Amino acid sequence: MNRTTYTPKDFAWTAWTVADIKKLAPEILAEKKARLAVIKKINPEERTFENTVYALEASDHGLTETILKIDLLQNVSPDKKIRDTAKQTIETIEKQMITVEHDPKVWAALKDYEVGSWREERKYLEAEDQKLFRDMFLEYKRMGFDLPPMKQKHLKALEQRLAKLSNEFRHNINAHEDHIVATEEEMIGLPERYKQGLKKDKQGRYIVTLAYPDYHPFMELAQSEAKRKELAEKFLKRGGAKNMKVLEEMLAIRAEHAALLGYKTHADYQTELRMAKSGDAALAFSLDLLKKVEKGGKADLEELRALKCEMTGNKKAVLHFYDIAYYGNELQKRRFHFDSEEVRAYFPVARVLEGTFKIYSTLFGVTFEELKGFSLWHPDAKLYAVKTPKGEVLSYFALDLYPREGKYGHAAAFGIIGGRSTEFLGDDYIAPFATMVTNFTKPSSTHPSLLSHSEVETFLHEFGHIMHCVLTTARHSSQSGYHTSWDFVEAPSQMLEHWAWGKKPLALLSAHHETSKALPASLLNNLLESKRHLLRYATLRQLILGIFDLTLHTKKNPPEPNRLYRDLVKKHAGIIMPKDSLFPAGFGHLDGYDAGYYGYMWSNVYAADMFTRFKKEGVMSKKVGADYRTWILEKGGSIEDIELVKGFLGRKPSNKAFLKEIGASK
Ligand SMILES: [Zn+2]
């Protein structure tokens, strides 16, 4: 297969001006319409896979890449005008593209093909081509084109109402403001640096808001139990009573929407295109895991309660919801007594990068080379080529590691150019390009950028997404890279996080930034030990949230959300939540991750299971790495995810490894 290679000219888009970007929305939409028009015109009896299904897939070629480039600039351009224009352009395209794609004639074309030559062609089409058709057919079917016109109209009205409610739900959470005031004495436990960042009221008391940078340190460090209680209770009211109303209506509309399309529940609708396949399967998975984790999770909490008894001198002390973060932090300090700042000194970014490259190139049999003479959106962003051992270019990626004004504030991988064949059955392949965006501490004149251990883990995770993008060999771009099922997409990266917790890889990833010395054994051991800290409780909590979400979206008449949440937490964690709390109103995941929150644990279970092969055959094993590349990274969404995992493991997957990993197996 011949791969395209890129020259600096191919990155000219990184210097797009406001005027350049403004032109793109009408161009993209016109081009898409023109391409669809050609497909719609074909006579039913002349429809083939290539002129209909593949043509629909190809109707995005080039256009998706352009949209993703604009989206990247919206997130990383140093120029506010560019970011703003890019944002508006993306919004315009998204809004109008729905109307363009929501086309009954495209659906008719797919149906004509289904009753026509599909019956013959399916006998010899490649498996990934068949999957492309089935997925595409389903996606269009889910738009409701098969319904009578009146019902289609109703469906659309429901979708519009849902979009409005979803905005409202998010807005009510984001706009919710509240705070507590705390005297100097009530701030005991909090560092000076934290206090200096807070505003004060007229009496000179500190104002602690519900914003995460205020909230989390306070809950972990404030000695004052009364103040922690006050702040946590306010936090549990985010979104307010009005969001409970919004949620109630959202749940009802989602259920009606699913029923109209012929699904038993909204969870069935949501999971149909995912690995779980049904709401019941997702719920059964979560409940089964819960049964196995509950005891361990409660034991973790009992340990915190014992610590509270010891620290307060009250033998009958009760562990409250506002105590968990505080005693969790205390226990961690006592048990693993290491200073995370001390650890940081061993992870200068250059060493982490070098180590990551070494690990991934050993495992996946490729090399990475920084390319000079290419200019990207900012001097901090560096371009690399991924090459075969013979020096042939496979793909490209960029790293944009440090924060700057207006830049995307978290860590993420952006796939920009998806790998794909240039033609239906061609030998030429478009080289993928992806970008990793993070916000690690910038190097200063005296210090290099030093990463915390959790940032090292993030590095390995996000770079795993990059590998997924750039090692793909899938023929169709909608199936390439990380275009897997939504509940599987994190698993390949979660699997690669394990390298942050192994002695061998850590030796490659760390070296003191001044002395180049390795992590001292005691520090290393403490660090590795700390992985399991409250892990069973953390898992239990995730499962409870997943079950809460699924229950709301699988029951015909779901229980009142607030009561459901309180009951679940009480029953499975033994923690009493205040009666007047409004947790569901502030649980933003109910919009966007609806009937999807289970996915965090779902993918973690597969990640842990996949790691068993490396654990057994060696974390630096070229053989296992090559299998991982072939089965998991290269295939993307071209076959069912479960088949990927089975192919790699050579057996049916199980949750045993996960339970063992978190310390919850018998
Ligand atoms: Zn991720």
Side-chain angles (χ1 to χ4, degrees):
M1 208 170 261
N2 308 312
R3 294 250 167 179
T4 49
T5 51
Y6 300 136
T7 65
K9 257 207 208 140
D10 294 301
F11 291 89
W13 59 271
T14 60
W16 275 341
T17 62
V18 166
D20 291 334
I21 295 172
K22 275 191 175 158
K23 276 195 312 215
L24 293 169
E27 273 177 27
I28 289 171
L29 290 158
E31 179 62 26
K32 176 81 182 178
K33 275 187 216 165
R35 290 178 187 179
L36 290 184
V38 174
I39 300 168
K40 289 189 282 186
K41 237 176 33 205
I42 298 167
N43 290 325
E45 60 277 10
E46 283 162 18
R47 292 209 172 277
T48 62
F49 181 86
E50 188 172 359
N51 73 21
T52 302
V53 180
Y54 179 74
L56 280 169
E57 164 80 10
S59 72
D60 284 328
H61 286 173
L63 307 183
T64 302
E65 285 93 320
T66 307
I67 294 170
L68 292 171
K69 286 169 186 172
I70 304 170
D71 180 57
L72 183 68
L73 290 178
Q74 173 196 328
N75 285 290
V76 300
S77 172
D79 184 341
K80 185 171 187 307
K81 286 195 298 280
I82 300 276
R83 292 197 305 271
D84 291 348
T85 311
K87 184 166 183 279
Q88 279 163 13
T89 305
I90 291 286
E91 280 167 11
T92 309
I93 294 172
E94 274 177 357
K95 215 169 142 200
Q96 296 189 32
M97 197 58 101
I98 292 176
T99 330
V100 174
E101 286 180 334
H102 209 273
D103 185 337
K105 287 192 182 141
V106 174
W107 170 238
L110 285 169
K111 276 185 61 163
D112 286 342
Y113 173 65
E114 197 221 4
V115 296
S117 53
W118 162 245
R119 313 214 152 174
E120 195 48 40
E121 281 190 301
R122 66 190 297 181
K123 291 177 196 154
Y124 51 85
L125 278 171
E126 298 286 344
E128 67 262 28
D129 294 333
Q130 296 188 32
K131 184 169 185 286
L132 186 73
F133 173 63
R134 281 197 308 269
D135 288 348
M136 195 183 275
F137 191 81
L138 203 52
E139 260 168 50
Y140 267 87
K141 190 164 189 251
R142 287 159 61 91
M143 292 180 193
F145 290 121
D146 259 356
L147 297 174
M150 278 303 283
K151 286 195 173 172
Q152 277 194 46
K153 227 173 132 189
H154 186 48
L155 191 78
K156 209 150 196 192
L158 291 179
E159 281 167 0
Q160 279 162 354
R161 179 71 189 146
L162 260 183
K164 235 185 125 202
L165 289 169
S166 144
N167 273 334
E168 236 173 275
F169 191 73
R170 228 171 314 149
H171 173 81
N172 287 341
I173 296 174
N174 293 337
H176 188 100
E177 276 179 22
D178 206 351
H179 65 268
I180 59 165
V181 290
T183 62
E184 199 64 60
E185 207 194 326
E186 288 163 340
M187 294 295 282
I188 291 176
L190 288 149
E192 269 320 302
R193 195 160 34 98
Y194 173 84
K195 290 198 281 186
Q196 278 163 13
L198 297 178
K199 290 204 177 96
K200 287 185 178 177
D201 71 358
K202 281 187 191 133
Q203 286 98 45
R205 292 174 304 183
Y206 293 96
I207 297 174
V208 183
T209 73
L210 302 182
Y212 289 164
D214 282 10
Y215 177 77
H216 288 300
F218 194 91
M219 293 310 295
E220 275 181 17
L221 300 168
Q223 271 183 24
S224 164
E225 187 172 326
K227 281 290 153 182
R228 271 189 276 116
K229 177 170 190 277
E230 191 185 339
L231 185 65
E233 281 176 351
K234 292 198 170 199
F235 195 80
L236 283 170
K237 296 241 167 79
R238 285 183 321 148
K242 52 183 186 284
N243 247 8
M244 293 305 295
K245 283 236 163 66
V246 175
L247 178 61
E248 197 186 324
E249 194 185 342
M250 278 205 293
L251 293 175
I253 293 187
R254 281 173 187 159
E256 192 184 350
H257 177 265
L260 206 54
L261 285 169
Y263 298 89
K264 218 171 68 205
T265 65
H266 178 65
D268 278 351
Y269 171 76
Q270 286 291 69
T271 50
E272 182 182 30
L273 294 172
R274 296 182 185 161
M275 202 175 171
K277 301 285 179 221
S278 76
D280 285 346
L283 192 58
F285 160 89
S286 307
L287 289 171
D288 175 49
L289 216 50
L290 179 82
K291 235 192 310 173
K292 291 170 176 145
V293 172
E294 187 175 319
K295 213 172 112 197
K298 281 181 171 163
D300 278 356
L301 291 174
E302 179 50 31
E303 234 180 326
L304 297 185
R305 198 189 69 81
L307 180 62
K308 184 176 178 183
C309 294
E310 185 196 321
M311 285 175 70
T312 57
N314 172 9
K315 277 187 193 150
K316 287 185 183 151
V318 175
L319 187 77
H320 298 290
F321 62 95
Y322 44 85
D323 287 331
I324 298 172
Y326 179 76
Y327 290 102
N329 184 54
E330 273 299 320
L331 187 67
Q332 181 168 31
K333 270 197 301 196
R334 287 173 182 221
R335 185 164 295 164
F336 310 112
H337 38 82
F338 68 83
D339 180 357
S340 51
E341 290 306 305
E342 194 187 340
V343 175
R344 226 178 241 278
Y346 291 88
F347 292 114
V349 76
R351 176 72 181 174
V352 176
L353 187 65
E354 188 194 312
T356 306
F357 281 7
K358 214 174 265 170
I359 292 166
Y360 285 33
S361 62
T362 305
L363 291 177
F364 305 137
V366 289
T367 63
F368 306 112
E369 184 188 316
E370 188 178 340
L371 298 176
K372 304 282 182 189
F374 285 73
S375 88
L376 302 180
W377 48 91
H378 187 275
D380 276 356
K382 309 274 186 228
L383 185 70
Y384 297 82
V386 183
K387 294 183 170 181
T388 65
K390 282 189 191 147
E392 294 148 343
V393 173
L394 283 176
S395 48
Y396 300 81
F397 65 88
L399 300 179
D400 185 357
L401 301 180
Y402 308 114
R404 49 175 186 269
E405 168 112 39
K407 182 178 145 177
Y408 175 79
H410 310 275
F414 292 76
I416 307 298
I417 299 174
R420 64 173 162 87
S421 300
T422 52
E423 300 168 317
F424 175 41
L425 294 171
D427 268 341
D428 294 336
Y429 199 80
I430 302 275
F433 168 64
T435 295
M436 179 168 136
V437 179
T438 60
N439 285 278
F440 300 135
T441 323
K442 230 178 145 71
S444 69
S445 54
T446 53
H447 270 67
S449 168
L450 298 173
L451 307 193
S452 69
H453 180 258
S454 92
E455 284 174 328
V456 173
E457 199 178 15
T458 302
F459 201 116
L460 290 164
H461 177 102
E462 297 306 335
F463 202 64
H465 286 311
I466 297 291
M467 288 295 104
H468 208 171
C469 288
V470 300
L471 293 178
T472 194
T473 56
R475 283 166 51 225
H476 304 304
S477 52
S478 68
Q479 297 177 336
S480 80
Y482 53 47
H483 290 107
T484 64
S485 294
W486 209 72
D487 47 6
F488 182 71
V489 65
E490 291 301 325
S493 286
Q494 286 166 336
M495 205 289 298
L496 291 161
E497 285 173 20
H498 286 84
W499 275 253
W501 296 100
K503 285 190 179 171
K504 248 192 219 167
L506 277 174
L508 295 171
L509 291 163
S510 63
H512 194 279
H513 72 101
E514 280 163 341
T515 63
S516 297
K517 283 206 172 119
L519 269 164
S522 62
L523 195 57
L524 178 62
N525 286 332
N526 273 332
L527 178 70
L528 296 181
E529 279 290 306
S530 73
K531 186 184 184 188
R532 280 202 184 174
H533 178 63
L534 296 186
L535 196 53
R536 295 173 303 180
Y537 166 67
T539 308
L540 178 63
R541 181 164 167 71
Q542 292 293 326
L543 287 168
I544 289 174
L545 290 172
I547 291 164
F548 167 66
D549 163 45
L550 281 169
T551 307
L552 290 180
H553 293 107
T554 46
K555 293 270 178 296
K556 260 248 146 64
N557 295 302
E560 194 276 311
N562 217 352
R563 227 192 49 216
L564 173 67
Y565 179 70
R566 283 205 316 268
D567 288 351
L568 283 169
V569 175
K570 186 177 162 197
K571 184 169 172 204
H572 301 292
I575 296 284
I576 311 290
M577 300 305 284
K579 257 205 153 135
D580 60 346
S581 67
L582 299 171
F583 170 79
F587 187 38
H589 289 90
L590 287 176
D591 167 56
Y593 281 75
D594 40 303
Y597 198 86
Y598 75 90
Y600 288 116
M601 281 300 126
W602 182 279
S603 54
N604 254 319
V605 165
Y606 287 98
D609 204 13
M610 291 194 288
F611 184 64
T612 54
R613 270 202 68 193
F614 285 101
K615 208 171 165 189
K616 201 167 145 204
E617 298 168 57
V619 287
M620 298 303 279
S621 161
K622 286 184 181 175
K623 160 123 194 9
V624 189
D627 284 350
Y628 193 72
R629 177 177 166 186
T630 318
W631 275 104
I632 308 294
L633 300 176
E634 286 185 352
K635 291 194 169 43
S638 62
I639 60 175
E640 294 290 337
D641 315 276
I642 188 73
E643 300 304 325
L644 300 178
V645 181
K646 277 194 212 159
F648 172 66
L649 287 174
R651 60 165 166 82
K652 263 192 181 166
S654 98
N655 63 16
K656 274 199 198 108
F658 175 75
L659 289 168
K660 196 167 170 206
E661 202 172 290
I662 64 164
S665 54
K666 273 172 257 155

